[in-house]
Structures are given as C-alpha cells and as structure tokens.
Amino acid sequence: MSVNLLNLFKDQLSGAAMKGISSMLGESESNTGSALGGVAASLLGSLASKASTSSGAAGLLKDLLSSDHSVMDNITDLITGDNSSNFFDKGGELVTSLLGGKAGSVIDAITKSSGLGRGSSSKLLSMAAPLLMGFVGKYVKGKALNAVGLGKLLGGQKDYIKSAMPSSLFDTLGLSSIGGAATKAVSGA
C-alpha cells in the first residue's frame, strides 16, 4: 500500500499548530481536527483528480514544485501574523482553482460533519489549501517524482481520501475515477 499523505499532513498540523488553528477559528480542537481531515481529503482528492491525466499531472507537478515548500514551517505566524489576510486571500484563490464551483458543497459537508461553523469551515479550507500544496510539493520534490510518479502517488491515495471525508463528498467531487484507470492513463499503460 502507498504512503498515506493525509496522515503525514495531519501529523504536521497536530500539537501546537492545531491549538493555534482552532484558537484562530474560535472552535474546539476536536471539531477543528475532525474538520481538517475532511478538508484535507477533499483538497487531496482534487489534486488526485487533476493528476489522473498526463497533461493534468504535468501541470500539477509544475504547480506543486513552484509552491511555497516552507509554508508548513511556521503555521501559527501565517494564520495570525500581519500578513494573515494575504495568506487567506491566496488560499481562497487556490480553493477556487482546485474545487471550482464545488467549494460550497465541501464547506457545507464539512460544517455538517464536524460541528464547525460555516465561516470556520470556509476559513479552514482557505488555510489548508496552500498548506497542503506546499506539503505535497515538498514531498514530491524530496522524492524527485516526475509527472508519472505524481500520478501514481496521488492515484494511490483513493482509499485514504474516501475514508477521511464525509461520504457524500466523494461522489459530489467526482472522485470515483482516481486510482486504477487514472494511474494507467498517466503512465500510458
């Protein structure tokens, strides 16, 4: 079985980082942690979907390699510091790029499943998008993956993604095609 990127990502956001995130949102750590799993799975699912074609994987690889790989180093400063509004604005743009018109459905499902307020779910999604991109970008760069390797890595995340998100979201986001046939499309098999 492949590496579980969701668990690795959530491990990076535990402890003091999770305390800072939940404090910034004004929500409990428990609800924030629950919401983060679904948010990260939704975003990673979108990445996996994009990487399911050769051209999508190549474009995503370029985006991941150019993302800020240091973004996970000091999360608390990013979300509460002087430039936090800029960080959330860029995150919102990234959410729109990754999820398009389905962002509202993600926010609604996360709100319902986690107990977070809708505004908090939205803010968490905008925060998680650049963090996940930076995290996956750093992982891909560290493993020196090419577009085919990226497609295989993300295609292998399907079961982890499906188990971490509210069940309604998997179909809403059209993620049933990731893995399997998608990996073959990227590798040319």
Side-chain angles (χ1 to χ4, degrees), residues 39-63:
V39 162
S42 299
L43 293 167
L44 189 62
S46 176
L47 295 181
S49 181
K50 287 185 183 298
S52 67
T53 65
S54 297
S55 61
L60 181 58
L61 180 65
K62 182 180 174 191
D63 291 343

Side-chain angles (χ1 to χ4, degrees), residues 50-180:
K50 287 185 183 298
S52 67
T53 65
S54 297
S55 61
L60 181 58
L61 180 65
K62 182 180 174 191
D63 291 343
L64 287 169
L65 292 177
S66 66
S67 65
D68 182 358
H69 300 161
S70 68
V71 73
M72 298 291 286
D73 295 343
N74 202 352
I75 296 164
T76 305
D77 282 351
L78 279 175
I79 62 175
T80 61
D82 293 340
N83 292 323
S84 64
S85 65
N86 187 35
F87 175 74
F88 283 102
D89 289 345
K90 286 184 179 182
E93 292 169 12
L94 190 53
V95 166
T96 300
S97 171
L98 292 173
L99 297 173
K102 297 177 182 174
S105 296
V106 170
I107 292 166
D108 291 341
I110 298 301
T111 298
K112 184 177 179 180
S113 69
S114 69
L116 250 62
R118 192 171 199 289
S120 294
S121 294
S122 177
K123 200 162 191 176
L124 185 63
L125 187 61
S126 293
M127 180 209 66
L131 293 176
L132 184 68
M133 286 290 287
F135 172 78
V136 174
K138 185 175 183 178
Y139 184 88
V140 166
K141 184 177 181 182
K143 298 292 184 185
L145 297 179
N146 60 16
V148 172
L150 174 63
K152 288 181 179 181
L153 171 70
L154 293 177
Q157 302 299 304
K158 182 178 182 175
D159 291 339
Y160 304 128
I161 291 166
K162 189 173 186 176
S163 68
M165 67 172 41
S167 58
S168 63
L169 273 181
F170 196 76
D171 291 331
T172 299
L173 294 176
L175 300 179
S176 59
S177 67
I178 60 175

